[in-house]
Amino acid sequence: MTTDTDPLCSEEEKMLAGKEYDGFDPHLASLRTQTRQRVARLSHMRSSPSQYAAAVRDLLGSVSDDNAVIETPVYFDYGRNTHVGKRFYMHAMCVILDSGRVDIGHDVVLGPGVQV
């Protein structure tokens, strides 16, 4: 088992384990930048359902079906730590701070401006 002082434990591993971590770690900063780029792609993909579904899957950790809808603008810390069920709908201006795992079930609608 690793500890907060274990040099073999990455900042991402610490974060996901709920331990104290360095949010300025270059790897974590890079992941957040990639997430912002993935969110930006969502609004450009709406006209193509298959590309849009792929963009949602690329953003999130897991998606139970191809019917997930994310209305931009939205904010995720990492995206890949968020897992959604079937028929998920997220309205604009929502924020999910997913420095830890976030699980959202089936048939969930997040209204405008919801913060998790």
Side-chain angles (χ1 to χ4, degrees), residues 17-87:
K19 298 177 181 180
E20 186 175 332
Y21 66 96
D22 178 4
F24 295 104
D25 175 70
H27 173 67
L28 293 177
S30 174
L31 291 176
R32 290 190 301 271
T33 298
Q34 291 171 30
T35 299
R36 286 191 298 275
Q37 293 167 347
R38 288 181 176 120
V39 167
R41 277 196 297 256
L42 281 179
S43 51
H44 300 293
M45 301 291 180
R46 286 305 297 268
S47 61
S48 171
S50 63
Q51 288 182 342
Y52 182 77
V56 170
R57 287 188 183 282
D58 187 46
L59 171 65
L60 301 179
S62 65
V63 182
S64 293
D65 64 18
D66 286 341
N67 297 317
V69 175
I70 299 174
E71 300 286 358
T72 57
V74 296
Y75 179 84
F76 293 86
D77 279 335
Y78 299 96
R80 68 191 202 170
N81 298 329
T82 299
H83 306 268
V84 301
K86 294 178 182 177
R87 296 170 300 278

